[in-house]
C-alpha cells in the first residue's frame, strides 16, 4: 500500500495484482502475509514499512518484540532490531515489520509461547544473500493444526536460516504462488484482509 493506503487492509491477492500492475516489467512469483496490524482500529501495521526506498512508516508500535525484515539498498537482506533502526534506516530499500526473533546466529532463540497456530516467518542466510519464506497452514485437523514458535524456529534452522523473525500468524496466514498455468493462486484457505504483504518479484528479461 501507499502511505495514504497504509490504514486500508485488503485481501493479499489484491496486493499482488496491484504490484503486478505497477511493475509491468516484472513478474510477481509469490507472496506471503507480513506484519501484525491493529485490526479493530486503524488496520495500521505495527512495525516499519518501506517500499522502493520510500519510508511509509518509520516507527515500531508493537512493543519490545517488534523487529523488521529488510532488503537493503546494496541488495543484501537484514533482520533489523529497533535499536539498529536509526543507524540503518537510510540504507533500507524494502522492509516489513514482524514480532520477535526466532533464530539468531543459526540457533533457535528462547521462545516461551507454546500455543499452536498457523504461522508465517521470514529468515536470511549467514551471507545475507538468501531469503527463506516459510508458511505453515493450520486449524485444519485433517491437514495441519499449525506449529509452536519453537517448532517454527526448528524448521527455519533446518532450512539454513541464520536469522529469522515471526510474521503475523493465525487467520492472517496466507500464501499465494503461481499454479501450473502461471496464474497466481491461493495455497491457503484463509483470505483475511491484511495490512501488507511480502512479495517475491522477478524482473522480466
Amino acid at each position: 500500500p501507499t502511505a495514504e493506503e497504509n490504514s486500508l487492509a485488503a485481501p493479499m491477492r489484491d496486493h499482488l495484482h496491484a504490484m503486478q500492475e505497477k511493475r509491468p516489467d516484472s513478474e510477481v512469483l509469490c507472496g506471503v502475509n507480513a506484519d501484525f496490524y491493529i485490526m479493530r482500529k486503524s488496520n495500521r501495521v505495527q512495525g516499519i514499512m518501506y517500499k522502493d526506498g520510500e519510508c511509509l512508516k518509520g516507527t515500531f508500535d508493537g512493543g519490545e518484540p517488534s523487529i523488521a525484515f529488510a532488503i537493503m539498498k546494496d541488495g543484501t537482506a537484514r533482520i533489523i532490531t529497533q535499536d539498529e533502526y536509526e543507524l540503518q534506516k537510510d540504507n533500507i530499500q524494502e522492509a516489513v515489520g514482524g514480532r520477535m526473533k526466532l533464530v539468531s546466529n543459526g540457533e533457535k532463540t528462547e521462545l516461551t509461547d507454546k500455543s499452536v497456530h498457523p504461522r508465517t516467518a521470514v529468515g536470511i542466510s549467514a551471507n545475507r544473500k538468501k531469503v527463506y519464506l516459510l508458511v505453515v497452514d493450520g486449524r485444519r485437523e485433517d491437514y495441519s493444526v499449525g506449529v509452536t514458535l519453537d517448532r517454527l524456529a526448528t524448521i527455519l534452522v533446518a532450512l539454513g536460516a541464520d536469522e529469522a523473525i515471526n510474521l503475523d500468524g493465525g487467520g492472517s496466514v496466507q500464501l499465494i504462488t503461481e499454479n501450473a498455468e502461471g496464474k497466481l493462486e491461493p495455497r491457503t484457505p484463509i483470505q483475511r484482509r491484511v495490512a501488507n504483504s511480502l512479495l517475491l518479484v522477478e524482473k522480466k528479461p
Side-chain angles (χ1 to χ4, degrees), residues 64-128:
E64 187 177 349
S66 292
I67 201 166
F69 163 77
I71 300 296
M72 312 305 286
K73 291 180 179 178
D74 65 2
T76 60
R78 292 283 303 270
I79 301 298
I80 297 177
T81 66
Q82 295 184 50
D83 290 340
E84 296 169 331
Y85 174 64
E86 286 300 319
L87 296 175
Q88 299 292 338
K89 63 182 182 180
D90 293 337
N91 300 318
I92 297 174
Q93 182 68 18
E94 313 282 345
V96 295
R99 195 181 288 171
M100 89 262 304
K101 187 176 282 192
L102 301 172
V103 179
S104 181
N105 296 320
E107 302 286 340
K108 294 189 298 181
T109 61
E110 184 176 350
L111 301 161
T112 58
D113 184 349
K114 303 302 181 185
S115 58
V116 175
H117 293 291
R119 306 282 187 183
T120 302
V122 58
I124 63 174
S125 60
N127 65 5
R128 300 175 179 173

Side-chain angles (χ1 to χ4, degrees), residues 129-150:
K129 294 183 179 181
K130 184 179 290 186
V131 173
Y132 303 87
L133 295 177
L134 176 61
V135 174
V136 180
D137 202 354
R139 298 178 182 170
R140 293 196 286 167
E141 295 291 338
D142 60 337
Y143 180 67
S144 173
V145 296
V147 292
T148 63
L149 290 176
D150 184 77

Side-chain angles (χ1 to χ4, degrees), residues 5-203:
E5 296 166 338
N6 189 22
S7 63
L8 302 178
M12 204 182 78
R13 62 179 177 272
D14 292 354
H15 295 190
L16 273 72
H17 292 151
M19 178 64 77
Q20 192 69 81
E21 290 179 4
K22 182 180 179 182
R23 296 184 178 179
D25 60 336
S26 301
E27 180 180 4
V28 178
L29 301 179
C30 72
V32 301
N33 63 288
D35 199 0
F36 294 78
Y37 60 103
I38 306 170
M39 294 177 62
R40 292 180 178 85
K41 294 183 180 180
S42 65
N43 288 327
R44 184 177 176 86
V45 292
Q46 294 187 359
I48 64 170
M49 183 165 68
Y50 281 66
K51 187 171 77 170
D52 297 328
E54 179 186 0
C55 177
L56 302 182
K57 182 171 177 288
T59 59
F60 291 86
D61 304 320
E64 187 177 349
S66 292
I67 201 166
F69 163 77
I71 300 296
M72 312 305 286
K73 291 180 179 178
D74 65 2
T76 60
R78 292 283 303 270
I79 301 298
I80 297 177
T81 66
Q82 295 184 50
D83 290 340
E84 296 169 331
Y85 174 64
E86 286 300 319
L87 296 175
Q88 299 292 338
K89 63 182 182 180
D90 293 337
N91 300 318
I92 297 174
Q93 182 68 18
E94 313 282 345
V96 295
R99 195 181 288 171
M100 89 262 304
K101 187 176 282 192
L102 301 172
V103 179
S104 181
N105 296 320
E107 302 286 340
K108 294 189 298 181
T109 61
E110 184 176 350
L111 301 161
T112 58
D113 184 349
K114 303 302 181 185
S115 58
V116 175
H117 293 291
R119 306 282 187 183
T120 302
V122 58
I124 63 174
S125 60
N127 65 5
R128 300 175 179 173
K129 294 183 179 181
K130 184 179 290 186
V131 173
Y132 303 87
L133 295 177
L134 176 61
V135 174
V136 180
D137 202 354
R139 298 178 182 170
R140 293 196 286 167
E141 295 291 338
D142 60 337
Y143 180 67
S144 173
V145 296
V147 292
T148 63
L149 290 176
D150 184 77
R151 180 61 176 165
L152 188 69
T154 297
I155 298 170
L156 286 158
V157 170
L159 290 172
D162 185 68
E163 291 187 86
I165 64 171
N166 181 46
L167 299 176
D168 196 5
S172 294
V173 168
Q174 296 173 50
L175 168 66
I176 296 180
T177 63
E178 287 186 338
N179 59 21
E181 289 75 39
K183 296 181 179 179
L184 294 170
E185 176 183 3
R187 301 294 178 168
T188 47
I190 300 172
Q191 283 296 294
R192 173 190 286 176
R193 296 164 67 87
V194 293
N196 63 5
S197 304
L198 184 56
L199 312 181
L200 177 62
V201 179
E202 180 181 47
K203 192 164 187 178

